[in-house]
Amino acid sequence: MSHHKMSPVLKLCAAALVAFGSLAANAAPQDAAQTKVITQTDRLIVRYKDAVDNSKGAMPARALTAARQALMARSGQQLGATMRLLRATATGANVMQLSRAMSIDEARALAADLAARDPDVEYAEPDRVMLPLFVPNDPMYTQQWDLFDAKGGMNVPAAWDKSTGAGINVAVIDTGYRPHVDLQGQILPGYDFITNATIAGDGNGRDSDASDPGDNTYAGQCGTGIPAQDEASSWHGTHVAGTIAAKANNGVGVAGIAYGAKIVPARVLGKCGGYTSDIADAIVWASGGAVTGVPANANKARVLNLSLGGSGACDTTTQNAINSARSRGAVVVVAAGNSNINAANSNPANCAGVIAVAAVGRTGGKASYSNYGSVVDVAAPGGDSGAGILSTWNAGTSTPAGDNYGYMMGTSMATPHVAAVAALMLSTNPNLTPDEVEAKLKSTARAFPAACSGCGAGIVDAAAAVNAVAAGATVTPPTQNEVEPNNSISVANPVNVSGTVVKGTLYGTTDNDYFVVQVPAGKTLTATLTMNAGSGSTDYDLYAYNSAGTQLAMSTNGAGTPDAVSVANATSATSPRYVRVRYHTGVYGASYSLKFTW
């Protein structure tokens, strides 16, 4: 963002995209009217239809053709801005640096104008800024009510007999980390993905040092009135990391839920938050994908924790990164948000394929600040009414000082509880898929002991979840075969159960397979297409439509790369969505698998 002032998308809640998560434990949770949102950006994300997904093998950014630059210049003239190529994202989009900061609405208008002018644009959207979300013999274990309390806790001690998370890496995509005695030996090499030196606060852009130099801000630093007054550093990522993997039985401090697991820190949030494009690259890298200019991650994470968020719909850039991570087997756990609103308006909680987490207090009821709604999957302890979540912290108010412990509350704190339980499950059964982890978390969650409307399937029960997968009761996705004729919307094959895998075949250039899903209100349908063994270089493409036949999404990746489309039903009633598999190149008669989730 060079020297432009930026308003935060979400502000730290004891830490929050910038991070959802934290409110100091003794502070009153912010309500929706108090939530601070970064409403400006100085970047645009543009992906062209001929772009190459770089996540399977990094490629340099493609230079823009003169024709494309000319169309960008004409679009920019409408709003008095110019654009220059900054870099390429891991999924093949271009990050464009604008010559001035503008409101999100202005940036959306600019993106829409560019897409209208240039038929080669697959999508264009603002590069929005996200914020962090706050709100054994270990001497402080007795203060960790979130692990054992009968009402608001997660029944963690009973899970430790079966699993401690050994062998599983959890990526904390956040503000970085501070070295801490209770995290000694728990932190693996990470990466600092912040491209803007002003946000980074460490004097440079991207580098291999994921440590947190502090994210304190002065009044008005992030935009007019944001923050309203000087704010101390949050040490948000360190708090999240401690909840997941602080050492246990070491006679020091607190116990992490998955204390046998390791943390892979990916620093994406700094002063005033972090860009969507940087967060997306971190998601790809942490899960084992390639990012241009960044060394390969030698410690692939099976679980990604995103205690961060912003408002509005799920960005295409973020969804593509999540799809990429899931294709490598990563479980993506995200905070529902701290604005006491429907999480359908909170990003990335409203993205497809994630486990969205609401927060409960010690009573087991909904935390006053927690978002809610049909996109929420489960709930976990986040703290409320003075009973916060205790974890590792730092004593510095701006720059780092000594080791410390602190209470925070927010959905940022609830999220690592669920990420840690996912690590316990995967340590017990490494063959679990992301969908199986989610299904077991939901099916074993316990009922809410107090009111928690819109908080998902229940409060995560660590012991029950681990026992379910230890018993070998893995979820076998339902399957069905494609049935001809189904070459148009009018004769589409119905798919009725989320998680269903359809087996099908195309026999020529004119063959198309259509499927229809009745998508519930507020849900997002995701369809993922993979070619089966023996298909060689055959390439099929994927499209999604509404009932009027209007194309809503498409995926045209090359041979050997899965295709995925996601379409939301933002209405208040169930609505049909149609998915089409189309032949592109290769051998006739090759078979495919198409998985549907919603």
Side-chain angles (χ1 to χ4, degrees):
M1 75 174 87
S2 62
H3 297 294
H4 299 303
K5 291 185 178 180
M6 304 289 294
S7 314
V9 176
L10 283 181
K11 193 55 183 167
L12 306 180
C13 294
L17 225 298
V18 194
F20 282 143
S22 312
L23 295 166
N26 295 322
Q30 292 176 331
D31 60 26
Q34 295 170 318
T35 298
K36 298 180 179 67
V37 176
I38 293 184
T39 58
Q40 290 185 315
T41 186
D42 61 351
R43 294 182 184 180
L44 212 63
I45 301 173
V46 182
R47 192 179 199 275
Y48 290 94
K49 294 175 182 176
D50 61 357
V52 176
D53 186 336
N54 300 328
S55 63
K56 294 184 180 296
M59 298 180 63
R62 291 185 170 186
L64 295 174
T65 64
R68 288 176 178 175
Q69 291 183 56
L71 291 171
M72 282 189 171
R74 290 172 195 163
S75 288
Q77 287 173 358
Q78 310 301 311
L79 291 170
T82 59
M83 289 177 264
R84 64 178 176 84
L85 178 62
L86 189 61
R87 65 182 186 86
T89 70
T91 53
N94 292 319
V95 180
M96 307 303 301
Q97 180 71 58
L98 304 178
S99 59
R100 69 174 180 86
M102 59 180 63
S103 71
I104 297 298
D105 286 343
E106 285 183 297
R108 285 198 182 102
L110 177 58
D113 184 84
L114 177 60
R117 289 177 185 274
D118 191 342
D120 290 337
V121 171
E122 179 180 325
Y123 73 84
E125 61 190 6
D127 193 359
R128 298 192 296 172
V129 180
M130 302 287 141
L131 304 173
L133 310 177
F134 273 18
V135 192
N137 61 5
D138 304 82
M140 294 182 178
Y141 172 70
T142 57
Q143 301 171 55
Q144 294 181 266
W145 62 267
D146 44 309
L147 274 56
F148 55 76
D149 189 270
K151 290 185 176 180
M154 284 208 319
N155 195 21
V156 172
W160 285 335
D161 289 339
K162 298 283 181 66
S163 177
T164 64
I168 300 301
N169 299 329
V170 181
V172 175
I173 300 174
D174 212 293
T175 65
Y177 76 98
R178 288 309 312 163
H180 193 287
V181 65
D182 228 355
L183 291 170
Q184 187 173 356
Q186 302 297 84
I187 307 293
L188 295 172
Y191 204 81
D192 181 353
F193 282 87
I194 301 176
T195 51
N196 182 279
T198 303
I199 291 177
D202 59 1
N204 54 36
R206 288 186 172 180
D207 57 42
S208 60
D209 181 5
S211 64
D212 185 353
D215 58 358
N216 64 298
T217 52
Y218 56 80
Q221 183 174 353
C222 305
T224 304
I226 302 177
Q229 57 190 19
D230 294 355
E231 293 188 352
S233 291
S234 67
W235 314 117
H236 188 265
T238 301
H239 196 278
V240 168
T243 296
I244 297 169
K247 295 181 79 170
N249 297 317
N250 63 342
V252 175
V254 297
I257 295 167
Y259 60 83
K262 302 296 184 185
I263 298 296
V264 178
R267 185 170 182 250
V268 297
L269 304 174
K271 296 176 183 292
C272 304
Y275 281 108
T276 293
S277 55
D278 290 343
I279 295 166
D281 276 1
I283 291 170
V284 170
W285 176 85
S287 61
V291 177
T292 301
V294 179
N297 176 15
N299 302 291
K300 174 183 174 180
R302 289 295 309 274
V303 184
L304 311 184
N305 187 100
L306 283 84
S307 289
L308 48 74
S311 61
C314 176
D315 299 289
T316 304
T317 301
T318 303
Q319 186 65 66
N320 287 347
I322 291 168
N323 294 345
S324 178
R326 281 172 49 84
S327 74
R328 287 181 286 277
V331 178
V332 184
V333 188
V334 304
N338 297 337
S339 300
N340 191 29
I341 61 172
N342 194 315
N345 298 308
S346 184
N347 160 33
N350 54 12
C351 293
V354 304
I355 300 173
V357 184
V360 297
R362 190 162 188 173
T363 65
K366 177 184 165 303
S368 58
Y369 52 81
S370 179
N371 287 356
Y372 52 84
S374 61
V375 303
V376 173
D377 295 298
V378 291
D384 202 7
S385 301
I389 306 300
L390 181 65
S391 187
T392 48
W393 213 36
N394 191 273
T397 57
S398 55
T399 56
D403 291 350
N404 203 353
Y405 297 87
Y407 288 94
M408 292 182 178
M409 58 176 63
T411 55
S412 276
M413 282 54 262
T415 304
H417 283 75
V418 178
V421 173
L424 297 179
M425 296 166 68
L426 287 164
S427 179
T428 303
N429 185 346
N431 296 319
L432 294 172
T433 68
D435 288 338
E436 288 170 347
V437 170
E438 179 179 346
K440 286 299 185 184
L441 284 169
K442 290 179 176 180
S443 66
T444 59
R446 61 185 178 85
F448 296 104
C452 201
S453 178
C455 295
I459 299 174
V460 167
D461 185 316
V466 169
N467 287 338
V469 299
T474 57
V475 175
T476 301
T479 59
Q480 68 183 62
N481 294 321
E482 167 235 342
V483 178
E484 295 285 355
N486 65 338
N487 61 345
S488 68
I489 283 179
S490 62
V491 289
N493 288 174
V495 178
N496 299 319
V497 180
S498 180
T500 294
V501 176
V502 176
K503 304 293 185 178
T505 303
L506 295 180
Y507 291 97
T509 57
T510 61
D511 193 6
N512 293 275
D513 289 345
Y514 282 84
F515 305 91
V516 59
V517 173
Q518 300 297 328
V519 182
K523 292 291 187 179
T524 297
L525 168 67
T526 297
T528 304
L529 173 69
T530 54
M531 301 302 301
N532 294 335
S535 60
S537 60
T538 301
D539 180 24
Y540 296 165
D541 292 330
L542 202 58
Y543 301 81
Y545 306 87
N546 62 16
S547 57
T550 302
Q551 182 177 304
L552 303 177
M554 69 176 182
S555 179
T556 57
N557 292 332
T561 302
D563 285 291
V565 292
S566 295
V567 287
N569 176 13
T571 69
S572 59
T574 297
S575 182
R577 294 292 183 267
Y578 296 85
V579 174
R580 170 193 182 197
V581 181
R582 179 189 179 197
Y583 174 89
H584 182 61
T585 58
V587 178
Y588 297 158
S591 64
Y592 64 84
S593 295
L594 181 61
K595 184 170 185 177
F596 294 84
T597 57
W598 63 89

